[in-house]
Amino acid sequence: MKPQAIRDAYAMSLTNPAYPKGPYRFFNREYVIITYRTDMDALRAVVPEPLEVTEPLVKYEFIRMPDSTGFGDYTESGQVIPVRHDGQDGVYVHAMYLDDDAPIAGGREIWGFPKKLASPKLSHEGEVLLGTLHYGSVLCATATMGYKHVAVSTDEVRHAMEKPNFLVKIIPHVDATPRICELVRYHLTDITVKEAWSGPADLQLFRHVIADVARLPVLEVVSALHFTADLTLAMGEVVHDYLEDAK
């Protein structure tokens, strides 16, 4: 294989990449997002500067993705944290757990999503939406929400989804020293929110050494949102280089 062909590669492995080139379109994404109050010191300990934590809130998400270009059919669960950057409100993606290899590889390599392999599920049980996260055989999170109690403005949900999202992308060098350590920003685009509902909800998080969602404890459930949407996951941009900053 000629060097030019190698330089044109975009993902591992060289001759059989784990995912196709983006951007990536998602159809009929189903979300359950439970916003809860947590300990402010615990938040400050995990949110990287120059992002600012403005209030002690976490959004715990369960997302069913039945139809996505390149990534297929999978489920995801994790925590995002409302933050501010240069005076603009957004969210920091703190933890993500999912059950599909391609989006794990692509998410980590392209943007720096903190994705790990686990077993999240989002299902309907009569009048209740049920979300669970297992890491191996261990239950790490359980969420329950009343099914379609109060309609919510789809425009308000779309506006919230258009805010910037932030990640820390970390790639080591071959000697295990840092090679890439960057604050990345990305957006969701071409969003169509099809329906949105609020309702009563509860969330329990359980301690686990690897799936440490309980590091940000649930002190009070503030609100819950259930909606479906089509959207595109756009490419990202680097907004801060921690290695250059150290120099």
Side-chain angles (χ1 to χ4, degrees):
M1 183 181 292
K2 300 294 185 182
Q4 182 58 53
I6 299 172
R7 285 191 291 269
D8 290 339
Y10 65 89
M12 295 186 292
S13 62
L14 174 61
T15 60
N16 189 16
Y19 50 89
K21 290 183 178 180
Y24 305 92
R25 184 70 178 165
F26 294 79
F27 304 94
N28 297 315
R29 259 197 187 201
E30 182 180 16
Y31 290 78
V32 168
I33 303 176
I34 297 179
T35 302
Y36 70 91
R37 196 175 310 281
T38 193
D39 180 78
M40 193 66 163
D41 289 337
L43 274 185
R44 292 194 179 108
V46 300
V47 174
E49 296 180 358
L51 300 178
E52 303 172 58
V53 179
T54 57
E55 51 187 337
L57 297 179
V58 180
K59 295 180 180 293
Y60 197 98
E61 300 182 341
F62 287 92
I63 312 173
R64 273 289 300 128
M65 288 169 268
D67 184 4
S68 61
T69 57
F71 292 151
D73 178 355
Y74 64 104
T75 303
E76 190 167 88
S77 180
Q79 292 159 307
V80 301
I81 300 167
V83 294
R84 185 167 295 152
H85 180 260
D86 286 343
Q88 184 178 24
D89 291 334
V91 294
Y92 170 65
V93 183
H94 169 61
M96 305 186 87
Y97 302 90
L98 56 157
D99 56 2
D100 184 7
D101 178 66
I104 291 175
R108 290 173 70 103
E109 292 175 10
I110 299 172
W111 299 271
F113 279 103
K115 293 176 182 279
K116 291 184 178 181
L117 179 65
S119 299
K121 295 188 181 300
L122 177 59
S123 59
H124 300 196
E125 294 190 348
E127 78 282 17
V128 175
L129 290 156
L130 171 64
T132 58
L133 171 65
H134 282 81
Y135 197 97
S137 62
V138 178
L139 178 64
C140 300
T142 301
T144 51
M145 178 179 176
Y147 187 70
K148 294 187 177 182
H149 280 221
V150 180
V152 174
S153 166
T154 56
D155 287 338
E156 289 182 11
V157 175
R158 179 180 52 80
H159 177 69
M161 295 176 72
E162 289 172 339
K163 292 180 179 180
N165 298 260
F166 297 93
L167 306 152
V168 173
K169 181 174 182 177
I170 304 167
I171 303 290
H173 212 317
V174 292
D175 63 358
T177 59
R179 179 70 177 267
I180 295 172
C181 192
E182 301 166 336
L183 184 66
V184 174
R185 177 172 56 206
Y186 74 94
H187 289 83
L188 304 176
T189 62
D190 302 321
I191 301 168
T192 300
V193 179
K194 299 180 177 182
E195 58 176 337
W197 303 85
S198 66
D202 198 8
L203 175 66
Q204 299 178 79
L205 305 179
F206 306 101
R207 294 170 65 91
H208 190 285
V209 64
I210 300 299
D212 62 344
V213 291
R215 179 190 293 255
L216 302 176
V218 180
L219 302 183
E220 177 191 11
V221 171
V222 174
S223 64
L225 187 63
H226 172 221
F227 63 95
T228 57
D230 297 343
L231 56 91
T232 297
L233 174 56
M235 300 293 96
E237 59 179 331
V238 176
V239 295
H240 188 82
D241 187 324
Y242 292 97
L243 299 183
E244 283 297 319
D245 186 50
K247 295 177 183 178

